[in-house]
Amino acid sequence: MRRRVLLAMFGGAAAPWLLRTAGALAQSPAKPFRVGVLLGAASPDAVPFADFRDELRRLGYEEGRTIEFEMAATAVDYAALPQAAATLVEKHVDVIVTFGLTAVRAAATTTRNVPIVALGSPDLIGAGFAQSYARPGGNVTGQLAFTAELTQKRIELLKELRPGLMRVGVLFNSDSAGEVAAVKRSHDWAQQLNMSVHETDIRRHGDLVPAFAAMANASVGALATMPSTFLLNFRQDIASLALARGLPSVFTSREYAVAGGLMSYGPNFPLLFRHAAQYVDLILRGTKPADLPIEEARDLSLVLNVRTAKALGLTIPQSILVRADEVIE
C-alpha cells in the first residue's frame, strides 16, 4: 500500500529511487530525527499541522523517540522568517518544512545543505530554488499550490457570480514578494473582465477594519485575498467583515469558507501537509531532495458556503453550483 500511494503521488518514474530507499530505516535511529517547521507568517493553529504529525505517525515515526519537531515561531511576521530559519539551521535539524514562498526563500537563502520540503509555494523554479520539476537539483523540493492560474480563476468566479461587477477589492501583505506579484497580475486579469482592482496592504490585524471602510468608499463590489500565510491567521475576521459589508468573497482555501467566507477555490491543506510528511519520510530514509520530483497540488476544490450566500441575499448561479466540490449548508 505504501509503495502504491507514493507511485500515485510521484508517477511511475519514481520507482527506482523508491526501491533504493526501501528499508533504510529498518532500525530506529540512535537519536530522534529533528524536523524544523517554518510556517511562513501563519501561526501553528492556522494550518493543519496535526495532519502532518498524523501522517508521520502512520509512517512509523514516534514523536519523542524517533522524531522531534522544532517549530520556528515568527510572531505572525514575515520579517522574522530569516532569523527563524537561521535558528533552525543552528539547531542542526535534519530537514526543514516550509509553508509559503516567503518561508522557503528564507530557508533556502540560509542553507544549501539542509534539505527543504516546501509546500504552498507558487513556483520554485521561477524563484530560482529548483532546476526542473523532475529533478530539482538542489536542496529544495516539495509541492506547489498557490499558482498564478488559481488566483486568476478566483477573480473569474467573482465575475461569474456577479456579471455586473466593476471593482474587486484584494487583500495582501506587501512583506511577501509572492503576494505582491499576485496583486500586480490581478490587475491584468481583472481588466480582461472589464473590472478594476482596489488593492489593500494588510500589515497587521488592526488594518482590517479601516481596509473594509476604504473598500466601501471605493465602491468595491466583491472581495478576494491573495495567497497569504499571514492573512490566513485572520480568516474569521475577514469573512465576518466581508459579510457585514455585504461583499461576496472568494478565498484561497476551504478554511476561509468554513470560517464564513462565501467561496474558496484552492488546494486541500490537510492533504498538502500529509504529502509533505511523505517527502520528509523519504528524505529521512536517505533520498536526496535534488532527486525528489516537485509536484503540483492536484486535489483542488471549490467550496461554497450557502449560509453566507443567503445572508448576502445572493443566488449562486447553477454554473457555479454544479462545479462545487463541497457545499456548506
Side-chain angles (χ1 to χ4, degrees):
M1 178 62 71
R2 163 81 176 133
R3 187 170 182 273
R4 288 200 298 272
V5 169
L6 285 167
L7 285 174
M9 179 180 173
F10 293 110
W17 51 260
L18 281 175
L19 292 173
R20 287 198 300 271
T21 59
L25 289 184
Q27 297 180 350
S28 298
K31 60 179 181 178
F33 291 112
R34 306 185 78 185
V35 177
V37 183
L38 195 62
L39 296 176
S43 60
D45 62 354
V47 298
F49 187 69
D51 289 270
F52 178 78
R53 274 192 164 106
D54 289 345
E55 183 66 10
L56 284 172
R57 189 179 301 114
R58 187 188 70 80
L59 292 169
Y61 296 89
E62 184 179 337
E63 191 168 352
R65 191 176 71 86
T66 60
I67 199 166
E68 294 177 346
F69 301 103
E70 291 285 348
M71 303 293 293
T74 62
V76 195
D77 182 6
Y78 283 123
L81 286 171
Q83 182 56 52
T87 299
L88 290 177
V89 174
E90 290 168 2
K91 291 182 176 181
H92 303 290
V93 295
D94 296 291
V95 60
I96 297 175
V97 177
T98 67
F99 183 48
L101 180 60
T102 307
V104 69
R105 178 176 284 112
T109 54
T110 300
T111 178
R112 295 186 179 181
N113 298 317
V114 180
I116 298 169
V117 175
L119 63 155
S121 297
D123 184 5
L124 294 176
I125 296 176
F129 305 132
Q131 298 173 11
S132 72
Y133 291 127
R135 290 195 176 274
N139 67 320
V140 179
T141 186
Q143 200 169 37
L144 309 180
F146 294 128
T147 61
E149 291 76 12
L150 293 183
T151 301
Q152 180 179 8
K153 181 62 178 178
R154 294 182 192 107
I155 293 176
E156 292 173 351
L157 280 168
L158 288 175
K159 187 67 172 182
E160 188 174 352
L161 177 70
R162 278 192 165 178
L165 181 64
M166 298 301 295
R167 179 171 293 180
V168 58
V170 298
L171 304 182
F172 73 107
N173 182 293
S174 62
D175 287 331
S176 166
E179 293 176 49
V180 171
V183 169
K184 288 181 179 178
R185 296 195 64 181
S186 70
H187 285 274
D188 296 331
W189 295 322
Q191 189 174 24
Q192 293 173 13
L193 297 171
N194 297 316
M195 296 190 300
S196 63
V197 166
H198 177 89
E199 59 182 72
T200 302
D201 186 6
I202 304 297
R203 306 291 296 278
R204 55 192 177 87
H205 182 268
D207 292 336
L208 287 174
V209 171
F212 276 85
M215 283 190 285
N217 292 333
S219 299
V220 164
L223 173 72
T225 57
M226 295 298 100
S228 173
T229 59
F230 175 78
L231 293 177
L232 188 60
N233 298 295
F234 312 130
R235 59 195 181 281
Q236 185 75 56
D237 292 328
I238 293 172
S240 296
L241 285 166
L243 180 59
R245 290 286 182 176
L247 293 175
S249 54
V250 63
F251 299 103
T252 55
S253 68
R254 177 182 183 274
E255 284 70 17
Y256 282 98
V258 171
L262 177 63
M263 297 185 292
S264 70
Y265 181 68
N268 180 320
F269 277 6
L271 187 59
L272 205 65
F273 275 78
R274 288 187 178 275
H275 282 176
Q278 295 175 5
Y279 278 94
V280 167
D281 173 47
L282 288 169
I283 288 171
L284 295 181
R285 289 177 180 271
T287 305
K288 295 179 180 180
D291 300 326
L292 273 173
I294 295 171
E295 288 284 300
E296 185 170 338
R298 298 172 183 172
D299 190 34
L300 305 175
S301 60
L302 172 62
V303 181
L304 305 177
N305 189 319
V306 296
R307 288 178 299 177
T308 299
K310 291 176 181 178
L312 290 169
L314 287 173
T315 299
I316 304 294
Q318 190 66 21
S319 60
I320 294 179
L321 277 173
V322 297
R323 301 201 306 271
D325 299 283
E326 180 181 357
V327 175
I328 299 175
E329 299 287 349

